[in-house]
Amino acid sequence: PFGGMPEEMQERHRVKTKKKTHEEVPALDVQKLPAPHVIKGRLDEYVMGQDQAKKVISVGVYNHYKRIAAMEEQEKAKETGDTNQMDWDVEIEKSNMLMLGPTGSGKTFLVQTLARILQVPLAITDATALTEAGYIGDDVESVISKLLANADNDVERAERGIVYIDEIDKLAKKENANQRDVSGESVQQALLKLLEGADIEVPVGATSKNAMVPMTTVNTRHILFICGGAFEGLEKIIESRMDTKTIGFNGSLGMKHEKNVGEILKEVMPQDFIKFGLIPEFIGRVPVVVSLDALDEDALVRILQEPKNALVKQYQKLFQMDHVKLDFEQDAIEAIADKALERKTGARGLRSIMESVMMDTMYEIPSDDTIEECVVTKAAVDGESEPLTIHEDSLKKAK
């Protein structure tokens, strides 16, 4: 691929890929794929709530990789000439997904956990950075080069990966059609070929195409695309279609407050997305739509305590490294969840609250060897006092 380039320059630009050993097993054996209930069970260990979303994603991913297995069987049958092996006329279509839900409801976290469970390459990209080819910004093909890099430049592994495109709602068509929209509708149109399945030429080991960088071809036919977005304002479009906002003698102004945003989003139809600003061709290529619930106080309390990598456990580990036992009173955990609800940032707001509560204590502990234990109370969360620190000498007196 380097043409007439001198040997020393070729060495400099050659991309090192991991050498394949004979013992190496493929990252995901489609023949031994876990069943949907097993995938959901693994997701339950890390993601609290969102049962319907986890069920839809587990089934969608299971069917996607079964489709790959079926296509591999068909190819083998064609090679061996075994006409009874598979029904050649039936070709399973790809089911890309569209996730919608309020900010901080766990869309990105769900996809990250899924990729970790299945041990497949994952590329997470932000749709706001994508622009039409020829303009400053990333073109849509950079999504695939990111996936290839995460698969250690192994094309075969990359072609079985998952691509998560976040903030997809920011690609909606702009209202004023006077100026050129280089990061809206045109990007949606460029994404169509990727979602459907196409041969994409991507640079190996670099983010941008360059004469000095070798190129490789990645087929996106087997790559699962999951798009996610908060879709702020979509609930108003759904409400107006369902005609729940009626004003008059028989009308009820308070009707729209009876359902929360998550419940309204479950009623979404393709025409609502089109009215929001997504093009019909794009909606047609993401047939599986799943909506996530807004997190309530109970869900936030569970998120703080129950997952394998819960925030409370993370801080306990941090304190343990300084030989200090950390405890949280139950009403303190509930107070943290309350504060996060007020901020309306979902689970994302929990860490910033924890940081502000623990900051002074985390500053003191490494410099004071006598501290044995730390207890976070409701008063500490409310800012009325500092977390309680129990010193070595007071423990001896208590004994």
PDB file of all heavy atoms in Angstrom, residues 158-178:
ATOM      1  N   ALA A 158     -13.852  -6.097  13.752  1.00  0.00           N
ATOM      2  CA  ALA A 158     -14.565  -4.824  13.619  1.00  0.00           C
ATOM      3  C   ALA A 158     -15.907  -5.017  12.918  1.00  0.00           C
ATOM      4  O   ALA A 158     -16.894  -4.355  13.256  1.00  0.00           O
ATOM      5  CB  ALA A 158     -13.712  -3.822  12.851  1.00  0.00           C
ATOM      6  N   GLU A 159     -15.943  -5.953  11.967  1.00  0.00           N
ATOM      7  CA  GLU A 159     -17.183  -6.179  11.211  1.00  0.00           C
ATOM      8  C   GLU A 159     -18.264  -6.867  12.033  1.00  0.00           C
ATOM      9  O   GLU A 159     -19.386  -7.029  11.580  1.00  0.00           O
ATOM     10  CB  GLU A 159     -16.879  -7.003   9.942  1.00  0.00           C
ATOM     11  CG  GLU A 159     -16.208  -6.164   8.869  1.00  0.00           C
ATOM     12  CD  GLU A 159     -15.875  -6.939   7.609  1.00  0.00           C
ATOM     13  OE1 GLU A 159     -15.981  -8.192   7.637  1.00  0.00           O
ATOM     14  OE2 GLU A 159     -15.521  -6.306   6.602  1.00  0.00           O
ATOM     15  N   ARG A 160     -17.909  -7.274  13.270  1.00  0.00           N
ATOM     16  CA  ARG A 160     -18.921  -7.853  14.170  1.00  0.00           C
ATOM     17  C   ARG A 160     -19.148  -6.959  15.380  1.00  0.00           C
ATOM     18  O   ARG A 160     -19.689  -7.401  16.391  1.00  0.00           O
ATOM     19  CB  ARG A 160     -18.462  -9.224  14.654  1.00  0.00           C
ATOM     20  CG  ARG A 160     -18.458 -10.259  13.574  1.00  0.00           C
ATOM     21  CD  ARG A 160     -18.040 -11.572  14.152  1.00  0.00           C
ATOM     22  NE  ARG A 160     -18.121 -12.626  13.158  1.00  0.00           N
ATOM     23  CZ  ARG A 160     -18.080 -13.912  13.470  1.00  0.00           C
ATOM     24  NH1 ARG A 160     -17.948 -14.277  14.716  1.00  0.00           N
ATOM     25  NH2 ARG A 160     -18.176 -14.822  12.534  1.00  0.00           N
ATOM     26  N   GLY A 161     -18.715  -5.732  15.289  1.00  0.00           N
ATOM     27  CA  GLY A 161     -18.773  -4.828  16.432  1.00  0.00           C
ATOM     28  C   GLY A 161     -20.107  -4.113  16.579  1.00  0.00           C
ATOM     29  O   GLY A 161     -21.069  -4.348  15.845  1.00  0.00           O
ATOM     30  N   ILE A 162     -20.137  -3.231  17.575  1.00  0.00           N
ATOM     31  CA  ILE A 162     -21.319  -2.409  17.840  1.00  0.00           C
ATOM     32  C   ILE A 162     -20.896  -0.942  17.746  1.00  0.00           C
ATOM     33  O   ILE A 162     -19.855  -0.559  18.288  1.00  0.00           O
ATOM     34  CB  ILE A 162     -21.903  -2.697  19.245  1.00  0.00           C
ATOM     35  CG1 ILE A 162     -22.397  -4.154  19.334  1.00  0.00           C
ATOM     36  CG2 ILE A 162     -23.043  -1.745  19.585  1.00  0.00           C
ATOM     37  CD1 ILE A 162     -22.853  -4.579  20.728  1.00  0.00           C
ATOM     38  N   VAL A 163     -21.682  -0.137  17.053  1.00  0.00           N
ATOM     39  CA  VAL A 163     -21.423   1.303  16.975  1.00  0.00           C
ATOM     40  C   VAL A 163     -22.565   2.024  17.664  1.00  0.00           C
ATOM     41  O   VAL A 163     -23.736   1.789  17.339  1.00  0.00           O
ATOM     42  CB  VAL A 163     -21.303   1.774  15.499  1.00  0.00           C
ATOM     43  CG1 VAL A 163     -21.302   3.292  15.424  1.00  0.00           C
ATOM     44  CG2 VAL A 163     -20.031   1.228  14.869  1.00  0.00           C
ATOM     45  N   TYR A 164     -22.218   2.856  18.640  1.00  0.00           N
ATOM     46  CA  TYR A 164     -23.249   3.652  19.327  1.00  0.00           C
ATOM     47  C   TYR A 164     -23.082   5.116  18.932  1.00  0.00           C
ATOM     48  O   TYR A 164     -22.031   5.713  19.155  1.00  0.00           O
ATOM     49  CB  TYR A 164     -23.137   3.488  20.849  1.00  0.00           C
ATOM     50  CG  TYR A 164     -24.142   4.326  21.605  1.00  0.00           C
ATOM     51  CD1 TYR A 164     -25.509   4.125  21.431  1.00  0.00           C
ATOM     52  CD2 TYR A 164     -23.738   5.334  22.488  1.00  0.00           C
ATOM     53  CE1 TYR A 164     -26.441   4.890  22.109  1.00  0.00           C
ATOM     54  CE2 TYR A 164     -24.663   6.099  23.172  1.00  0.00           C
ATOM     55  CZ  TYR A 164     -26.007   5.870  22.981  1.00  0.00           C
ATOM     56  OH  TYR A 164     -26.950   6.639  23.652  1.00  0.00           O
ATOM     57  N   ILE A 165     -24.112   5.668  18.306  1.00  0.00           N
ATOM     58  CA  ILE A 165     -24.077   7.081  17.901  1.00  0.00           C
ATOM     59  C   ILE A 165     -24.968   7.861  18.861  1.00  0.00           C
ATOM     60  O   ILE A 165     -26.198   7.729  18.842  1.00  0.00           O
ATOM     61  CB  ILE A 165     -24.537   7.259  16.435  1.00  0.00           C
ATOM     62  CG1 ILE A 165     -23.704   6.373  15.499  1.00  0.00           C
ATOM     63  CG2 ILE A 165     -24.414   8.719  16.013  1.00  0.00           C
ATOM     64  CD1 ILE A 165     -24.215   6.303  14.072  1.00  0.00           C
ATOM     65  N   ASP A 166     -24.327   8.635  19.718  1.00  0.00           N
ATOM     66  CA  ASP A 166     -25.047   9.403  20.739  1.00  0.00           C
ATOM     67  C   ASP A 166     -25.515  10.739  20.167  1.00  0.00           C
ATOM     68  O   ASP A 166     -25.020  11.182  19.138  1.00  0.00           O
ATOM     69  CB  ASP A 166     -24.114   9.630  21.941  1.00  0.00           C
ATOM     70  CG  ASP A 166     -24.886   9.792  23.238  1.00  0.00           C
ATOM     71  OD1 ASP A 166     -26.129   9.798  23.201  1.00  0.00           O
ATOM     72  OD2 ASP A 166     -24.238   9.898  24.298  1.00  0.00           O
ATOM     73  N   GLU A 167     -26.434  11.379  20.877  1.00  0.00           N
ATOM     74  CA  GLU A 167     -26.950  12.714  20.497  1.00  0.00           C
ATOM     75  C   GLU A 167     -27.482  12.721  19.059  1.00  0.00           C
ATOM     76  O   GLU A 167     -27.307  13.689  18.334  1.00  0.00           O
ATOM     77  CB  GLU A 167     -25.851  13.794  20.642  1.00  0.00           C
ATOM     78  CG  GLU A 167     -25.145  13.827  21.974  1.00  0.00           C
ATOM     79  CD  GLU A 167     -26.002  14.343  23.115  1.00  0.00           C
ATOM     80  OE1 GLU A 167     -27.145  14.757  22.855  1.00  0.00           O
ATOM     81  OE2 GLU A 167     -25.538  14.297  24.263  1.00  0.00           O
ATOM     82  N   ILE A 168     -28.146  11.641  18.664  1.00  0.00           N
ATOM     83  CA  ILE A 168     -28.652  11.543  17.289  1.00  0.00           C
ATOM     84  C   ILE A 168     -29.738  12.582  17.019  1.00  0.00           C
ATOM     85  O   ILE A 168     -29.976  12.982  15.878  1.00  0.00           O
ATOM     86  CB  ILE A 168     -29.141  10.091  16.993  1.00  0.00           C
ATOM     87  CG1 ILE A 168     -29.115   9.792  15.493  1.00  0.00           C
ATOM     88  CG2 ILE A 168     -30.514   9.814  17.574  1.00  0.00           C
ATOM     89  CD1 ILE A 168     -27.784   9.493  14.917  1.00  0.00           C
ATOM     90  N   ASP A 169     -30.394  13.032  18.099  1.00  0.00           N
ATOM     91  CA  ASP A 169     -31.467  14.028  17.934  1.00  0.00           C
ATOM     92  C   ASP A 169     -30.928  15.393  17.487  1.00  0.00           C
ATOM     93  O   ASP A 169     -31.683  16.218  16.974  1.00  0.00           O
ATOM     94  CB  ASP A 169     -32.274  14.181  19.229  1.00  0.00           C
ATOM     95  CG  ASP A 169     -31.397  14.409  20.452  1.00  0.00           C
ATOM     96  OD1 ASP A 169     -30.306  13.818  20.502  1.00  0.00           O
ATOM     97  OD2 ASP A 169     -31.797  15.166  21.357  1.00  0.00           O
ATOM     98  N   LYS A 170     -29.610  15.595  17.653  1.00  0.00           N
ATOM     99  CA  LYS A 170     -29.022  16.890  17.232  1.00  0.00           C
ATOM    100  C   LYS A 170     -28.850  16.960  15.712  1.00  0.00           C
ATOM    101  O   LYS A 170     -28.466  17.998  15.180  1.00  0.00           O
ATOM    102  CB  LYS A 170     -27.652  17.108  17.913  1.00  0.00           C
ATOM    103  CG  LYS A 170     -27.653  16.989  19.430  1.00  0.00           C
ATOM    104  CD  LYS A 170     -28.580  17.983  20.112  1.00  0.00           C
ATOM    105  CE  LYS A 170     -28.468  17.924  21.627  1.00  0.00           C
ATOM    106  NZ  LYS A 170     -29.092  16.775  22.245  1.00  0.00           N
ATOM    107  N   LEU A 171     -29.121  15.836  15.013  1.00  0.00           N
ATOM    108  CA  LEU A 171     -29.024  15.827  13.556  1.00  0.00           C
ATOM    109  C   LEU A 171     -30.360  16.206  12.903  1.00  0.00           C
ATOM    110  O   LEU A 171     -30.506  16.107  11.689  1.00  0.00           O
ATOM    111  CB  LEU A 171     -28.613  14.439  13.045  1.00  0.00           C
ATOM    112  CG  LEU A 171     -27.230  13.918  13.441  1.00  0.00           C
ATOM    113  CD1 LEU A 171     -27.000  12.555  12.811  1.00  0.00           C
ATOM    114  CD2 LEU A 171     -26.129  14.877  13.014  1.00  0.00           C
ATOM    115  N   ALA A 172     -31.317  16.606  13.721  1.00  0.00           N
ATOM    116  CA  ALA A 172     -32.636  16.959  13.178  1.00  0.00           C
ATOM    117  C   ALA A 172     -32.509  18.120  12.192  1.00  0.00           C
ATOM    118  O   ALA A 172     -31.634  18.977  12.332  1.00  0.00           O
ATOM    119  CB  ALA A 172     -33.570  17.344  14.323  1.00  0.00           C
ATOM    120  N   LYS A 173     -33.408  18.125  11.209  1.00  0.00           N
ATOM    121  CA  LYS A 173     -33.406  19.196  10.196  1.00  0.00           C
ATOM    122  C   LYS A 173     -33.683  20.525  10.875  1.00  0.00           C
ATOM    123  O   LYS A 173     -34.555  20.630  11.733  1.00  0.00           O
ATOM    124  CB  LYS A 173     -34.500  18.928   9.152  1.00  0.00           C
ATOM    125  CG  LYS A 173     -34.120  17.862   8.152  1.00  0.00           C
ATOM    126  CD  LYS A 173     -35.083  17.823   6.990  1.00  0.00           C
ATOM    127  CE  LYS A 173     -36.325  17.021   7.335  1.00  0.00           C
ATOM    128  NZ  LYS A 173     -37.163  16.777   6.141  1.00  0.00           N
ATOM    129  N   LYS A 174     -32.939  21.543  10.483  1.00  0.00           N
ATOM    130  CA  LYS A 174     -33.135  22.872  11.070  1.00  0.00           C
ATOM    131  C   LYS A 174     -34.364  23.535  10.444  1.00  0.00           C
ATOM    132  O   LYS A 174     -34.697  23.289   9.286  1.00  0.00           O
ATOM    133  CB  LYS A 174     -31.894  23.754  10.833  1.00  0.00           C
ATOM    134  CG  LYS A 174     -30.584  23.143  11.324  1.00  0.00           C
ATOM    135  CD  LYS A 174     -30.517  23.061  12.834  1.00  0.00           C
ATOM    136  CE  LYS A 174     -29.212  22.475  13.327  1.00  0.00           C
ATOM    137  NZ  LYS A 174     -29.079  21.042  13.194  1.00  0.00           N
ATOM    138  N   GLU A 175     -35.007  24.377  11.240  1.00  0.00           N
ATOM    139  CA  GLU A 175     -36.245  25.027  10.784  1.00  0.00           C
ATOM    140  C   GLU A 175     -35.985  25.976   9.605  1.00  0.00           C
ATOM    141  O   GLU A 175     -36.698  25.968   8.626  1.00  0.00           O
ATOM    142  CB  GLU A 175     -36.892  25.806  11.943  1.00  0.00           C
ATOM    143  CG  GLU A 175     -37.453  24.922  13.052  1.00  0.00           C
ATOM    144  CD  GLU A 175     -38.592  24.017  12.598  1.00  0.00           C
ATOM    145  OE1 GLU A 175     -39.440  24.476  11.807  1.00  0.00           O
ATOM    146  OE2 GLU A 175     -38.619  22.839  12.994  1.00  0.00           O
ATOM    147  N   ASN A 176     -34.933  26.834   9.746  1.00  0.00           N
ATOM    148  CA  ASN A 176     -34.673  27.795   8.659  1.00  0.00           C
ATOM    149  C   ASN A 176     -33.845  27.134   7.557  1.00  0.00           C
ATOM    150  O   ASN A 176     -32.743  26.668   7.783  1.00  0.00           O
ATOM    151  CB  ASN A 176     -33.946  29.050   9.200  1.00  0.00           C
ATOM    152  CG  ASN A 176     -32.648  28.714   9.893  1.00  0.00           C
ATOM    153  OD1 ASN A 176     -32.508  27.634  10.439  1.00  0.00           O
ATOM    154  ND2 ASN A 176     -31.707  29.628   9.864  1.00  0.00           N
ATOM    155  N   ALA A 177     -34.406  27.080   6.382  1.00  0.00           N
ATOM    156  CA  ALA A 177     -33.736  26.390   5.273  1.00  0.00           C
ATOM    157  C   ALA A 177     -32.905  27.346   4.421  1.00  0.00           C
ATOM    158  O   ALA A 177     -32.492  27.023   3.323  1.00  0.00           O
ATOM    159  CB  ALA A 177     -34.796  25.709   4.409  1.00  0.00           C
ATOM    160  N   ASN A 178     -32.636  28.558   4.922  1.00  0.00           N
ATOM    161  CA  ASN A 178     -31.896  29.557   4.142  1.00  0.00           C
ATOM    162  C   ASN A 178     -30.415  29.214   4.039  1.00  0.00           C
ATOM    163  O   ASN A 178     -29.806  29.334   2.987  1.00  0.00           O
ATOM    164  CB  ASN A 178     -32.046  30.964   4.760  1.00  0.00           C
ATOM    165  CG  ASN A 178     -33.509  31.349   4.918  1.00  0.00           C
ATOM    166  OD1 ASN A 178     -34.353  30.844   4.190  1.00  0.00           O
ATOM    167  ND2 ASN A 178     -33.804  32.231   5.862  1.00  0.00           N
TER     168      ASN A 178
END
